[in-house]
Amino acid sequence: MSKTMIKPSLKNPFDSAEVVEFTIPGEVSRKAGPYEEAMKEGHELIQRPIKSVAIEQIEKQHFKKRMTVWERIKVLTDQEPNILYQNWGKNLDGASLVTGILNIAGRDVAVYGHDFTVRAGSMDATNGNKLARLFYMAGEKGIPVIGMNDSAGAFVPAGVGGLDGYAEAFTALRKISGVVPSIMCMFGFNAGGGSYLPRQGSFVIQPNDTFFGLTGPGVVKSVLGEDITPEELGGPMVHGQSGVADITVADEVAALRRAVRLLSYIPDNNSVMAPFQPTSDPLDRKTWEINTLLKKAFNSPTGFNTPFDVSIVIQQICDFGDYIELQPDRARCVITAFGRLGGNVVGFCCNNSAVASGQIDVDAALKIARFIRFCNLYNIPVIFMEDTTGFLPGREQESRGIVQAGRSMLDSIVDLRTPRILLILRNAFGGAYASYNNYPTGADLVLALPTTRLSVMGPAGKEFVYKDEVRKIRNAVAGRVKTGTQERIAAGMESAAAKRDAEKEAADWMKAEEALLNQRYEKELMNPKEGLALGSISSIVMPTDLRKVLGENLNFFLRHYKPSPMSGVQREFH
């Protein structure tokens, strides 16, 4: 047995060394001169970003279950990347950031990615300038941006140059915001500028076992004395619920594939529509499953108060049931998603009664506002589905600013210029109805199911509509208790027991009488009749015809819509 320690290597001992000849095929061989030396030097420079990295650095990335930037690019597309701005200085200035143009599904996309195998993907002045140039070019050419972030932050030996680099990139990305959309993938451990920059993008996708945040756990420990893990401080569970991350996934490959899928639903820039995708799913397909869902829900013991998951309705309406949800871990009482209807991309903004009766809280209002503003900027039509009992009341919501959050939601809906349709599924009460894309706030069309309950208030409204009857019922309770007690005592019951029994009987009577008033209120006022009479609702749609009616009306509105950048007055609050 050999006593010599064998060191593992990725090099194939049988692989012949690569020799690059800088001669024209068939050319008579001559002695190499300065020209061949220059060609060799140029070839080495071209290969330097990929081949100058030590195998040990690549192994470290793989050991952490991370890919290199070049491997990530190959997941995005099988086409050869067009790498731009190859400014590799003697100290590898700029080499820790790769920038280029990719062809993804036939579309030009500006892409950047930190190369963690070079100086931990850190940022210096050269990087910042290179990244800013990429952003400005994307804005000028009208192409979307995908970012692959995996950086330790500013390169400390570069001094203030690293901070200037970040500032230059911040500024450029902000200036193209609203001109071209951007998708940011978070890999590895990112702090400080490495978090600010990608969050300026349109969407952030974060896999498991990654971190990004203002500061890392070490700084939190030294400043606040608090022990906290990266997952607890800035992992996908934290950012998914806060809305900092729009989509959370299992790993890097899932993040990159989700980025490509999301890209298929958004346009290249603010002057065009999102890509049309022909479909063989008939527009007049009957949506029987929606009918089955509502029938099972509303014929249950809890009747029209039964919650149901609106995502099933979205699925049945979309082409082949395919859609992509945004911020699925945040404020589940509302669902925001992109789907296709008859091949056209459409945004869905839907109350979800399966969670908290679909009530709109602070997080839900802000989630809606952000989604609607994106659709407004990038010419995406929106279908609203309403089923909410109103804004969530309470001290906690008021202290968090529900008034301001609700105002942000209302502002985004009033400002929306793209085609938009409101479908009332069931409940549409109070201020939530008044601020949720009805005709007064600018809807192009308002439709309702026969199950619609449109009113100022829910069942509690009987207190105001039938106040005389309610007062009469409650005033009669004392008399019924007195009479019932006397009758029971006369029949031989003890005084205390007789009173208790009479009070129970009177309470049951009052409850039954108020239930009858509730039914009367629902029958007379909690229905679509008044809305139809006043023109607040255009027409009633059967659940089985939803895809056909929504699709045909959407096609009509899109035929008369001209995509263009936003213009006119810019509102104060965004």
Side-chain angles (χ1 to χ4, degrees), residues 375-438:
C375 293
N376 198 15
L377 285 166
Y378 293 105
N379 303 294
I380 299 175
V382 183
I383 292 177
F384 293 81
M385 295 186 194
E386 185 164 12
D387 182 13
T388 178
T389 55
F391 286 97
L392 181 62
R395 178 180 176 182
E396 191 258 350
Q397 289 295 306
E398 295 292 352
S399 64
R400 289 187 59 200
I402 184 66
V403 174
Q404 182 58 53
R407 180 248 167 101
S408 296
M409 182 190 85
L410 174 59
D411 286 352
S412 68
I413 292 173
V414 170
D415 290 345
L416 184 58
R417 66 201 171 100
T418 63
R420 44 180 163 143
I421 299 172
L422 170 63
L423 171 65
I424 305 176
L425 298 173
R426 176 176 45 177
N427 296 327
F429 297 157
Y433 163 76
S435 57
Y436 200 75
N437 189 48
N438 44 37

Side-chain angles (χ1 to χ4, degrees), residues 70-87:
W70 306 103
E71 291 166 337
R72 290 167 183 160
I73 287 174
K74 287 181 180 179
V75 175
L76 288 175
T77 180
D78 56 1
Q79 304 290 319
E80 279 296 314
N82 178 16
I83 302 302
L84 304 178
Y85 317 134
Q86 297 185 27
N87 47 344

